[in-house]
Amino acid sequence: MYIREITGKLFFLSISLAAYFTATGQKLSAEELQLYQLVMQYRKTKGLAAIPLSKSLTLVAQTHAVDLDDHYEPGGHCNLHSWSDQGNWKAVCYTDDHAQAELMWSKPQELTKYKGNGYEIAFSTDIEYLADPKAALANWKLSKQHNAVILNRGLWKRKWNAIGVGVYGSYAVVWFGNEVDNR
C-alpha cells in the first residue's frame, strides 16, 4: 500500500511536470523527469523542501548536457563544468582550482533571462551510453561536495528557489539557483 501510494504520487508529478513544460514549449525527457524526482525524493528524506523546477535553469542544463556530449574531451585539465567554444556562449575551461567559477556560474544570465547565478553538479558515465539518473544521484551522494550542494550544507547552506535538469548522451547535469524563476 505505501509503495503504491508513493508511486501514485510520483506518477501524478510526472504528468504535471510534463504538461507544464510541454505547454511552454520546453520538453523534459523521461530521464530528466526521473532525475528531478530522484533529487526531490532524496531531499525529502533529509527533511528538505522540494525545489521548483525552473524553465531557465532546465534550458541551461539541457544545453550544457548536449555541449558536454558533443564537445567535451575527458582526461584533460578542463572538468565537466567547462563549456566549449561551439555555441552561443562564452567558452569556459573550468579547472579544479575554480579560477573560472564566475564565468560558469553566470551561464543562466548569459543564456536566459534568469536574474541570478546558477550552480551546477555534473555526472558522466565515461562510456557511450545514456546517463542513468539513478547512477548520477548515487555518484553525487558519495561526493561530499556534490551532496552538500543538493542538501544545502556547508558553503551551500542557502535556500534553492529554482532547479534545472538536463540528461543527454552520457551526461547528466543539475543546476541550482537562489532566485525564483519568473519565466
Side-chain angles (χ1 to χ4, degrees):
M1 178 78 172
Y2 186 68
I3 292 173
R4 286 184 177 162
E5 183 177 329
I6 289 174
T7 304
K9 287 182 182 177
L10 293 177
F11 181 71
F12 178 76
L13 179 61
S14 296
I15 292 171
S16 299
L17 291 173
Y20 172 74
F21 276 91
T22 300
T24 61
Q26 187 172 339
K27 295 183 181 180
L28 295 176
S29 69
E31 292 81 16
E32 290 165 340
L33 283 170
Q34 182 184 22
L35 181 57
Y36 174 75
Q37 292 169 340
L38 288 169
V39 171
M40 293 309 104
Q41 286 172 350
Y42 178 52
R43 286 177 54 84
K44 185 176 181 178
T45 68
K46 303 298 182 182
L48 298 170
I51 307 166
L53 195 55
S54 159
K55 291 186 281 182
S56 296
L57 293 183
T58 295
L59 177 66
V60 174
Q62 291 171 336
T63 301
H64 195 213
V66 171
D67 183 50
L68 287 168
D69 195 67
D70 289 349
H71 304 291
Y72 181 69
E73 296 292 332
H77 68 281
C78 302
N79 67 30
L80 290 177
H81 301 302
S82 300
W83 289 69
S84 76
D85 62 358
Q86 300 298 308
N88 192 22
W89 54 74
K90 294 177 188 166
V92 180
C93 176
Y94 197 99
T95 53
D96 291 340
D97 64 2
H98 308 285
Q100 298 298 320
E102 292 292 329
L103 193 52
M104 189 272 287
W105 293 341
S106 65
K107 284 297 179 248
Q109 295 172 57
E110 186 179 343
L111 297 173
T112 72
K113 294 181 180 181
Y114 188 73
K115 303 238 186 271
N117 287 338
Y119 307 96
E120 178 187 56
I121 57 176
F123 169 80
S124 171
T125 61
D126 292 329
I127 52 177
E128 295 296 319
Y129 297 105
L130 187 64
D132 176 53
K134 290 179 185 175
L137 181 60
N139 180 275
W140 292 326
K141 287 165 71 172
L142 293 173
S143 164
K144 184 177 180 180
Q145 295 85 2
H146 294 99
N147 197 45
V149 175
I150 295 169
L151 300 179
N152 303 108
R153 294 183 177 162
L155 175 65
W156 305 103
K157 190 172 179 120
R158 59 187 78 190
K159 182 178 181 192
W160 297 132
N161 289 302
I163 188 173
V165 294
V167 178
Y168 186 84
S170 57
Y171 296 90
V173 297
V174 178
W175 282 75
F176 297 86
N178 297 109
E179 287 73 19
V180 172
D181 186 3
N182 291 322
R183 193 179 130 190

